[in-house]
Amino acid sequence: MRPEGERPRGSTSTTPASRAFGAGPAEDGVRPEARAAMAEATAPVGGRSDQQSDVVTAASAAVSEHDGSAAALPAVLADVPVAVLLIDQKSGSVTYANDAAIELAGDVRLPVDIDRWGAAVGLTDLAGAPLARTTGPLSLVAQGQPVTGEAVRLTPGRGTDVGRARDDDGEGDRLLWVTGFPLSQPASTRQLSLVVFLEVEGVGGTGDAEAELQALRERAVVATDIAFTITDPRQPDNPLIWVNPSFTRITGYSYEESVGRNCRFLQGPSTDRAAVAEIRDALAAQRPLTITLLNHRRDGTAFWNQLAMSPVFDGEGELVSFVGIQTDVTERVRVEDEREAALAAEQAARQEAESARAIAEQARADAERAQAHAERAQADAEGAQARLALMAEATSSLIATLDVGDLLDRLATLCVPTLADWVVVTVVDEFGEVREVASRDRELRLTQLRRYDARQAVRLPRDSPSQRAITTSRSVLVERLPARLDETIASPSAQEVAARLGAVSALSAPLVARRRTRGSITLVRTAADRPFTPDDVGLVEDLARRAALVMDNVRLYQQEHAVADTLQRSLLPALPEIPGLRAAAHYVSASTAADVGGDFYDLLQLPDGSVGVVVGDVVGHDVAAAAAMGHLRGLIRACLWDAPDPHPSTVLTRVDRLVQGLRVAPLATMTYLNAVPPATPGGPWRARVANAGHPPLLMRAPDGAVRPIDGVTGLLVGVDVDAERAALDVELPAGSTVLGYTDGLVEAPGSDLDQGIAALVERLSATPVDASPEELCDAAVSGTLDGRDDVALIAVRFG
């Protein structure tokens, strides 16, 4: 029963242990009675040196003139293997009993009067008289007096507590050695005392209590010494600030020779460096450590030292000291060495006796092993060949697409039925929510792909193999799936497949690319005699890595393409409303790489009343070309609007000079049509056309006939500033439509530009006579586009 308000283990009093032990005999702040009792405690009884090491460490760390001792002791003494009580002198009651005391005496409800506690436990003196009297050791400690050592009995059946934790039926009396001393200064607000019980072997047979007591005292005198030290880690090199007399007796170094030095002076050339490093690491980590290492006394003789050290923290959690217990275990080490030597000799003899039989069996085992090795080598070769073939097929298949849905379909097809009976591929976003799922099973042979938007996004079950693989970024192998999969499979369709086909074993691998987990691939087998094994993990992980990298490349492409496409579309103009005209425009971005670029169109009503139609293409297919197109279109608009001479050849010549002089863009193609309204309503428009290396404009007559305006051409814009541009005069009857386009609409692998223009003319001619400009644009792009270049086109109907 621990007192209320107990601190967590590892916390200590707010007074540093250096104040309790570091100032010397006259200034250390410890009451003389307590020092005497602690000195007595350094002589262990009955050979229980390890237990006394723990209690001395704990009691010494808790000795303080501050009231925090009561809170510090439980944290320090909770698990030491000797029984410890904490007594409030003012009330004469037990306020704390550690785990060993509860194990020894039973869980007596605290706080309780000290005499009542002794009666409940069943403690008596050696003569069998109860301890509940003022001269008993417990009463003396409760009165603030030290008890340097007294033997008592624990008699089964004599206690008044029926809830004893230990069942003592059938056991005889047990002898306990009691040591106690006050912990608090006289001026402290709380007066506390500590009682320690050590169980010792009986001296037996005399029936004389005085004789037994004397024998116990003699045992205490001859018992192994326990050395107790305290260091201050707040001082440079963590020096010793206090050692007890037993330290001097073991090491030969006096108090004055020890205090102020780091305890490494006990080390020697033969001390294990690994043990020293372990001590150093424990000190740096501020954690307890018990270790045995070779040390040297002052006279140079070596001894094996069992060191137990613990950190001590104040109430604020600050490290204030290290408490150490040194025990000379040389004899124990010697006995252990002899036992190990005897055991090694026995094992050597046994091995020698068995060696003949082992040699006989070895030949047979070697033959079987050779055969198994040959079979395994053949299987490995076949497996490696199959794996290489699968990986080669996976690489060539996965990199052949830039569409995520198609990619997931291809990945699922690779897995079923080669690797599994059905497969589920899951793609998640940066928040771990499912965005796409594809599945395939051996019966349907069809991929079921579902995409989720932000409102539909779901999460996988936490314990499902897919979610665990995504969360940990590590493969998850389930060799035997549970009978019910309701909490493992989220998708109703996947549950239906599991119910129909069965699910015996599963293997999930994360789709990790560029240090981010993009999803998982989960393979399921339905045959009980063919579960997934650890040998399958490497193959699936290799496949998942390849798929994840391709998937991430697709993602990056789509991001770049979206940026470029957005830039391109933002640079294209909104067509103005011009009286007497009807216009429509269309733009199609390239479907490969980031191939949006410099294709553009424009329609302007100029200050002189004429109308300008421009379509062009900047050389290049990337974001830079798109940006250059924006600059070029702005320059062309300025030249058209403020042209001293509106003639198209003059305008293009001016554009040539400005492009080359201002370095606005690289090479570009362009065609420009300037149309003047008719003098009378319903009359024809008069137009002049200039061309700078661009595909010819198409004119669709009012009767639906389509022909190219191909009587004029010239060099690309920016090639020759001194070149004279030619222009062509064209009459546009009312109801005529002029169509301008870029080469992405008419170029295709295996055919020339003329064939593409002829196919475009055929598509436009097939439209109804009264087809609008919008319908003509739709017809123009209805053919099979190459997809490697973007397309811009504009259709303007005059009259």
Side-chain angles (χ1 to χ4, degrees):
M1 178 78 62
R2 297 188 175 94
E4 296 182 359
E6 175 185 331
R7 294 188 185 181
R9 294 198 58 191
S11 64
T12 66
S13 170
T14 56
T15 300
S18 57
R19 297 181 184 175
F21 301 110
E27 301 176 357
D28 56 7
V30 180
R31 297 178 60 185
E33 302 95 322
R35 178 175 299 284
M38 290 169 56
E40 180 69 16
T42 60
V45 180
R48 304 296 293 274
S49 59
D50 293 341
Q51 295 179 357
Q52 289 196 0
S53 301
D54 293 331
V55 77
V56 170
T57 301
S60 301
V63 171
S64 170
E65 59 183 329
H66 285 256
D67 295 335
S69 302
L73 257 170
V76 177
L77 299 178
D79 296 329
V80 298
V82 294
V84 179
L85 299 179
L86 189 65
I87 300 175
D88 188 329
Q89 298 175 19
K90 183 177 180 181
S91 63
S93 59
V94 178
T95 60
Y96 169 75
N98 72 340
D99 295 343
I102 295 173
E103 175 71 15
L104 179 70
D107 193 3
V108 180
R109 186 175 297 278
L110 303 181
V112 65
D113 181 79
I114 184 63
D115 289 338
R116 289 181 60 190
W117 187 89
V121 169
L123 293 180
T124 69
D125 61 15
L126 293 182
L131 292 184
R133 63 184 189 277
T134 57
T135 59
L138 299 182
S139 298
L140 292 175
V141 176
Q143 297 168 21
Q145 302 182 37
V147 174
T148 59
E150 184 171 335
V152 299
R153 289 184 187 278
L154 178 63
T155 305
R158 288 288 298 273
T160 61
D161 178 29
V162 297
R164 290 282 300 276
R166 174 182 296 193
D167 183 5
D168 289 325
D169 292 345
E171 295 187 7
D173 292 357
R174 299 157 64 193
L175 289 177
L176 304 177
W177 186 263
V178 182
T179 303
F181 50 87
L183 294 177
S184 308
Q185 289 289 335
S188 298
T189 57
R190 295 188 64 185
Q191 297 296 311
L192 305 173
S193 295
L194 183 76
V195 180
V196 179
F197 295 91
L198 296 176
E199 185 175 357
V200 298
E201 297 178 0
V203 295
T206 65
D208 185 344
E210 291 298 330
E212 292 183 8
L213 180 59
Q214 181 60 30
L216 290 173
R217 287 172 176 166
E218 290 173 358
R219 287 190 178 185
V221 172
V222 300
T224 303
D225 284 345
I226 304 297
F228 170 54
T229 61
I230 297 179
T231 68
D232 187 353
R234 298 169 300 178
Q235 298 186 31
D237 204 27
N238 191 21
L240 291 165
I241 60 173
W242 185 83
V243 298
N244 72 339
S246 295
F247 181 85
T248 298
R249 287 195 296 273
I250 290 178
T251 66
Y253 289 95
S254 67
Y255 180 94
E256 291 76 11
E257 292 174 316
S258 303
V259 171
R261 303 172 64 185
N262 185 285
C263 58
R264 73 171 66 91
F265 65 82
L266 295 177
Q267 300 172 14
S270 301
T271 302
D272 186 6
R273 295 297 99 187
V276 174
E278 189 172 353
I279 294 173
R280 187 183 305 115
D281 293 342
L283 292 172
Q286 302 179 6
R287 58 178 173 82
L289 174 68
T290 299
I291 193 171
T292 301
L293 73 164
L294 190 67
N295 279 164
H296 295 78
R297 298 184 176 89
R298 193 175 187 278
D299 61 5
T301 59
F303 71 98
W304 286 101
N305 181 10
Q306 178 177 289
L307 169 64
M309 65 179 192
S310 299
V312 178
F313 303 86
D314 64 14
E316 301 299 328
E318 180 183 358
L319 178 67
V320 295
S321 61
F322 280 96
V323 177
I325 299 297
Q326 288 88 12
T327 307
D328 185 351
V329 294
T330 303
E331 183 63 20
R332 189 185 73 187
V333 173
R334 183 187 64 79
V335 172
E336 290 177 354
D337 289 344
E338 291 177 356
R339 183 169 63 249
E340 290 176 359
L343 179 61
E346 178 185 357
Q347 291 175 344
R350 185 181 303 155
Q351 291 174 356
E352 186 175 348
E354 294 177 354
S355 61
R357 180 168 57 88
I359 292 174
E361 294 177 352
Q362 185 64 39
R364 179 171 56 86
D366 288 345
E368 295 176 352
R369 189 179 301 110
Q371 181 179 359
H373 180 74
E375 294 174 354
R376 186 165 54 251
Q378 181 179 359
D380 290 345
E382 294 174 354
Q385 183 176 4
R387 177 171 180 166
L388 289 174
L390 177 62
M391 291 302 104
E393 181 183 359
T395 301
S396 60
S397 175
L398 296 179
I399 65 175
T401 181
L402 287 173
D403 179 75
V404 174
D406 186 34
L407 173 64
L408 297 182
D409 185 19
R410 291 167 182 257
L411 178 59
T413 303
L414 287 168
C415 296
V416 178
T418 305
L419 299 177
D421 297 311
W422 55 290
V423 62
V424 177
V425 184
T426 306
V427 180
V428 299
D429 60 16
E430 61 270 22
F431 304 105
E433 294 184 332
V434 177
R435 292 305 179 196
E436 293 183 88
V437 175
S439 65
R440 175 182 288 273
D441 65 70
R442 57 181 168 82
E443 289 187 357
L444 293 182
R445 305 295 296 162
L446 293 173
T447 297
Q448 301 167 341
L449 178 65
R450 180 176 180 181
R451 289 184 171 87
Y452 299 86
D453 58 26
R455 295 167 297 177
Q456 297 174 322
V458 296
R459 285 187 175 272
L460 296 170
R462 182 180 61 183
D463 295 330
S464 67
S466 298
Q467 182 60 44
R468 289 161 57 193
I470 293 171
T471 302
T472 64
S473 297
R474 299 180 65 179
S475 295
V476 176
L477 171 62
V478 183
E479 296 187 23
R480 294 293 177 185
L481 286 167
R484 292 183 58 85
L485 300 177
D486 297 346
E487 298 181 357
T488 303
I489 302 178
S491 170
S493 61
Q495 292 178 356
E496 187 274 330
V497 173
R500 177 164 43 84
L501 299 181
V504 173
S505 180
L507 173 57
S508 290
L511 298 172
V512 180
R514 296 179 175 91
R515 301 182 180 180
R516 289 191 60 183
T517 302
R518 305 293 179 183
S520 66
I521 176 173
T522 300
L523 309 178
V524 180
R525 288 180 179 172
T526 61
D529 59 347
R530 187 173 164 257
F532 285 107
T533 67
D535 295 336
D536 299 313
V537 174
L539 174 62
V540 177
E541 286 180 342
D542 194 0
L543 178 61
R545 279 193 296 268
R546 294 168 186 254
L549 185 59
V550 175
M551 186 183 303
D552 204 48
N553 288 340
V554 172
R555 179 186 63 83
L556 294 176
Y557 150 72
Q558 290 177 342
Q559 288 180 351
E560 184 178 356
H561 184 75
V563 171
D565 185 63
T566 301
L567 173 62
Q568 174 79 1
R569 293 182 184 277
S570 68
L571 295 175
L572 294 174
L575 297 182
E577 295 286 342
I578 301 177
L581 297 183
R582 182 175 179 180
H586 199 77
Y587 174 76
V588 181
S589 61
S591 60
T592 59
D595 287 348
V596 296
D599 293 25
F600 67 96
Y601 54 81
D602 209 346
L603 174 65
L604 293 174
Q605 184 172 22
L606 302 177
D608 61 359
S610 65
V611 174
V613 179
V614 181
V615 62
D617 186 2
V618 175
V619 174
H621 301 93
D622 51 27
V623 176
M629 178 272 289
H631 291 299
L632 178 60
R633 192 174 68 85
L635 185 147
I636 293 173
R637 278 194 156 205
C639 290
L640 297 180
W641 187 264
D642 193 25
D645 182 356
H647 195 279
S649 61
T650 305
V651 171
L652 284 190
T653 300
R654 186 181 182 191
V655 171
D656 276 330
R657 293 173 181 172
L658 291 177
V659 165
Q660 193 171 61
L662 299 178
R663 299 181 180 179
V664 171
L667 299 178
T669 66
M670 186 179 73
T671 184
Y672 171 49
L673 178 145
N674 180 265
V676 178
T680 60
W685 290 64
R686 292 180 296 103
R688 289 176 292 187
V689 179
N691 189 304
H694 197 79
L697 298 173
L698 299 180
M699 185 182 74
R700 189 173 190 270
D703 61 359
V706 180
R707 68 176 181 86
I709 304 176
D710 56 359
V712 62
T713 187
L715 297 175
L716 276 65
V717 172
V719 172
D720 186 357
V721 297
D722 297 324
E724 297 236 352
R725 297 282 182 185
L728 178 68
D729 291 329
V730 179
E731 185 176 89
L732 303 175
S736 299
T737 302
V738 173
L739 186 79
Y741 55 93
T742 57
D743 54 3
L745 185 63
V746 293
E747 285 183 334
S751 64
D752 58 25
L753 198 63
D754 291 338
Q755 291 175 320
I757 295 174
L760 175 60
V761 169
E762 184 177 351
R763 291 197 299 273
L764 295 176
S765 300
T767 60
V769 174
D770 59 348
S772 66
E774 291 83 359
E775 293 172 333
L776 292 176
C777 288
D778 292 338
V781 298
S782 63
T784 302
L785 301 180
D786 181 36
R788 290 177 296 179
D789 196 1
D790 50 347
V791 175
L793 67 155
I794 183 171
V796 181
R797 174 168 295 174
F798 295 88

